Amino acid sequence: MPEVVGASKASNGKNKGGAYVDRDKPAQIRFSNISAAKAVADAIRTSLGPKGMDKMLVELSKAQDIEAGDGTTSVVVIAGALLDACSKLLQKGIHPTTISESFQKAVDKGVEVLTSMSQPVQLSDTETLLNSATTALCSKVVSQYSSLLAPMSVDAVMRVIDPSSATSVDLRDIKIVKKLGGTIDDCELIDGLVLTQRVVNSGVSRVEKAKIGLIQFCLSPPKTDMDNQIVVSDYAQMDRVLREERAYILNLVKQIKKAGCNVLLIQKSILRDALSDLALHFLNKMKIMVVKDIEREDIEFICKTIGTKPVAHIDQFTPEMLGTAELAEEVNLDGSGKLVKITGCTSPGKTVSIVVRGSNKLVIEEAERSIHDALCVVRCLVKKRALIAGGGAPEIELALRLAEYARVLGGMEAYCVRAYADALEVVPSTLAENAGLNPISTVTELRNRHAQGEKTAGINVRKGGISNILEELVVQPLLVSISALTLATETVRSILKIDDVVRSLPSLPLMISNQGLSA
């Protein structure tokens, strides 16, 4: 399958019939693609594990992030090792199709091995879920806060699903609100709605038994069309215009009050001011709390959380459109700003909010990414309720089992599957290297322990040796390992299929000028 860079062009190495004159070209193309992909994998290797450096994502790791949410570095490291194996197999003269089909057999067998060594998990087993979330947070910058962030992530997922029947988790039901100031210790999980927008009318900052309305129209005087102008020639006309504006806005505010609303959320408007000073004055007199500039993308979450319905016209503003909550208040965050919290919703829609705090943007963004990874790990356990050991244990077990499987096969397939098995040892080797251990002796000892039947023996980065990794509570969802293995193999097989690069023709004026002719 050629990798197309532009419009089709017959290369110098082909005759008119399209047959290759230069037989080495497909091999050269494959080696150049493999070298490029390996360079990325080698660059990312140093970020694997709790002792590794910070993450760097590529397209493959994005796919892993979408599927499992964790193992984004592992998938690239595995792909790099498999590409290295491919390069050596190609140099020995083995056909790319044979390598590709053998790798597919190896990954199918690998998924069977991983499934057989996994342990079933119940969503009611909170301790196991916490261990998985903590393991995911170990390799993050905010790992020292895992005792706070891991329980928060598990609680958040458990509140938005029905554990008895759930098969997946919609992470859009968990809203992460970033607020600058404080420390990560100040992060909190709130069963309700949190808004970063300020309360506009300072006179009303706390409302009990809140009846909340969400409007998508403006509380300001209507404007004329862009092409029209109104010219006021005397003060009497000006006074009449102002009286009409006042009556119009007062009527809007009275209808809002009549519906029983005491907390008003106003969607951001790009056409004109969503809220005029006069409207704010009337709302303040009627003791209605006002929060404006609600973003359009937040509307769905707000409606689901508090049970309100967005209102596009004042005629539709009725008591049935309002949501209800025990308390709506503006909270002061120790001098670092304010938040609006709406809690005690009477018809909660199984949503929660996580407030992430941090002293600067970098810390907040890293904390948000870490919480997202922990949420994804718990989501993986909801999708596929099984766990396996971490610390390189699955990869070394796979290497041993696939080497045994290779002996059953015959011919070139056996050779390719054996190469696939050897390539998987890159994960424990890299973990050992990044932890400051001797990779060769560590992997050799780990291989021996697994050969003796210790399936859960893995690299203990904290103690600097090999131990039963399950006893150390280093665990990960089965889905993470299966996804990493299958996606890495698919990527390598795709690269193997590329045997030519088709370059685009130069533009016509350039060709003419090169021939010394006037355009």
Side-chain angles (χ1 to χ4, degrees):
M1 184 182 73
E3 180 186 330
V4 178
V5 176
S8 175
K9 177 191 175 187
S11 69
N12 295 331
K14 295 181 188 177
N15 62 22
K16 289 182 181 177
Y20 283 105
V21 175
D22 182 1
R23 297 288 178 184
D24 293 333
K25 190 175 180 187
Q28 288 168 3
I29 295 296
R30 282 195 186 91
F31 283 126
S32 67
N33 284 327
I34 286 170
S35 299
K38 270 175 61 188
V40 175
D42 288 342
I44 208 172
R45 270 186 64 186
T46 53
S47 62
L48 179 69
K51 298 284 183 182
M53 288 177 266
D54 198 18
K55 301 288 180 232
M56 174 180 116
L57 297 179
V58 291
E59 289 302 318
L60 175 58
S61 64
K62 282 181 185 175
Q64 173 74 2
D65 190 48
I66 292 165
E67 175 63 27
D70 196 24
T72 48
T73 309
S74 302
V75 71
V76 179
V77 173
I78 292 169
L82 292 176
L83 286 167
D84 196 19
C86 284
S87 180
K88 290 171 184 172
L89 293 169
L90 287 168
Q91 284 170 350
K92 287 182 168 66
I94 301 174
H95 197 277
T97 306
T98 307
I99 300 171
S100 178
E101 288 172 357
S102 303
F103 276 21
Q104 187 57 49
K105 280 190 176 181
V107 77
D108 292 342
K109 182 68 177 176
V111 171
E112 284 179 31
V113 173
L114 286 172
T115 307
S116 67
M117 67 181 288
S118 66
Q119 296 182 340
V121 63
Q122 300 297 323
L123 294 183
S124 55
D125 185 359
T126 311
E127 189 179 344
T128 305
L129 299 180
L130 276 174
N131 292 339
S132 302
T134 305
T135 303
L137 291 169
C138 274
S139 59
K140 305 294 184 285
V141 173
V142 295
S143 56
Q144 66 267 37
Y145 297 100
S146 57
S147 58
L148 168 72
L149 301 180
M152 194 183 291
S153 304
V154 172
D155 287 348
V157 172
M158 289 298 106
R159 288 188 194 184
V160 300
I161 63 165
D162 179 3
S164 59
S165 60
T167 55
S168 187
V169 181
D170 188 351
L171 293 183
R172 288 173 298 182
D173 291 340
I174 302 169
K175 185 172 177 62
I176 298 177
V177 179
K178 296 181 285 187
K179 187 68 178 174
L180 195 63
T183 65
I184 294 178
D185 285 320
D186 299 322
C187 293
E188 59 178 327
L189 177 67
I190 293 167
D191 205 352
L193 181 65
V194 177
L195 300 171
T196 53
Q197 292 87 349
R198 300 280 295 271
V199 172
V200 187
N201 47 346
S202 54
V204 189
S205 60
R206 179 185 169 92
V207 176
E208 294 182 3
K209 305 290 182 189
K211 291 194 173 181
I212 307 150
L214 174 60
I215 62 171
Q216 295 177 304
F217 56 89
C218 299
L219 293 177
S220 57
K223 285 189 174 180
T224 61
D225 293 335
M226 296 295 285
D227 299 331
N228 297 334
Q229 285 184 328
I230 296 174
V231 179
V232 180
S233 56
D234 61 31
Y235 287 115
Q237 286 180 321
M238 174 67 81
D239 192 44
R240 186 181 169 194
V241 168
L242 291 174
R243 279 203 312 273
E244 286 292 333
E245 277 187 10
R246 186 183 176 88
Y248 172 79
I249 289 172
L250 184 59
N251 180 47
L252 291 178
V253 175
K254 279 183 176 177
Q255 282 186 258
I256 289 168
K257 184 67 177 174
K258 185 181 176 184
C261 173
N262 54 16
V263 177
L264 187 65
L265 309 179
I266 305 174
Q267 184 178 317
K268 199 172 193 175
S269 172
I270 57 170
L271 298 176
R272 64 179 199 264
D273 289 339
L275 180 70
S276 69
D277 291 341
L278 188 59
L280 183 58
H281 167 73
F282 288 138
L283 289 165
N284 214 8
K285 288 184 78 172
M286 296 182 182
K287 303 292 182 192
I288 297 174
M289 182 195 283
V290 183
V291 181
K292 68 172 186 175
D293 292 341
I294 302 294
E295 297 290 346
R296 186 184 181 125
E297 57 264 25
D298 294 336
I299 297 292
E300 186 181 346
F301 182 83
I302 291 170
C303 293
K304 191 172 183 180
T305 304
I306 59 179
T308 187
K309 294 174 187 172
V311 180
H313 193 272
I314 189 65
D315 293 342
Q316 298 162 346
F317 200 95
T318 57
E320 296 79 41
M321 306 297 276
L322 304 180
T324 53
E326 288 296 316
L327 180 65
E329 64 175 335
E330 188 175 42
V331 183
N332 199 347
L333 299 173
D334 302 326
S336 56
K338 295 181 179 181
L339 283 176
V340 177
K341 291 184 184 178
I342 299 174
T343 53
C345 305
T346 51
S347 57
K350 285 203 174 244
T351 61
V352 293
S353 302
I354 296 175
V355 179
V356 177
R357 307 293 308 284
S359 54
N360 57 54
K361 277 187 177 181
L362 183 69
V363 173
I364 288 180
E365 285 169 7
E366 188 58 41
E368 183 195 17
R369 278 196 297 272
S370 303
I371 290 170
H372 174 263
D373 277 6
L375 291 171
C376 287
V377 164
V378 183
R379 181 183 66 176
C380 283
L381 290 173
V382 174
K383 281 183 176 179
K384 192 181 277 282
R385 302 184 187 191
L387 275 174
I388 54 172
E395 288 80 12
I396 208 80
E397 182 69 18
L398 273 176
L400 280 171
R401 298 290 159 257
L402 288 175
E404 288 174 7
Y405 176 59
R407 294 189 200 111
V408 179
L409 300 170
M412 291 298 180
E413 277 188 344
Y415 203 76
C416 295
V417 171
R418 178 73 207 208
Y420 187 99
D422 292 342
L424 292 176
E425 290 186 2
V426 71
V427 172
S429 174
T430 306
L431 280 173
E433 196 178 325
N434 288 351
L437 305 171
N438 184 324
I440 296 171
S441 60
T442 305
V443 172
T444 304
E445 187 189 343
L446 190 58
R447 198 187 296 122
N448 290 338
R449 296 274 287 269
H450 275 259
Q452 292 164 16
E454 296 182 39
K455 288 187 177 182
T456 55
I459 297 169
N460 189 332
V461 173
R462 296 188 192 99
K463 294 180 180 175
I466 290 170
S467 59
N468 185 336
I469 216 74
L470 280 185
E471 290 175 3
E472 300 292 330
L473 306 179
V474 179
V475 289
Q476 64 188 39
L478 174 62
L479 186 63
V480 171
S481 290
I482 287 179
S483 173
L485 196 66
T486 52
L487 285 172
T489 309
E490 282 171 16
T491 304
V492 170
R493 293 184 72 205
S494 297
I495 290 173
L496 277 175
K497 288 176 185 174
I498 300 169
D499 62 1
D500 195 10
V501 176
V502 183
R503 302 194 183 280
S504 61
L505 278 164
S507 61
L508 186 60
L510 183 65
M511 288 176 69
I512 294 170
S513 63
N514 286 344
Q515 292 166 8
L517 301 173
S518 58

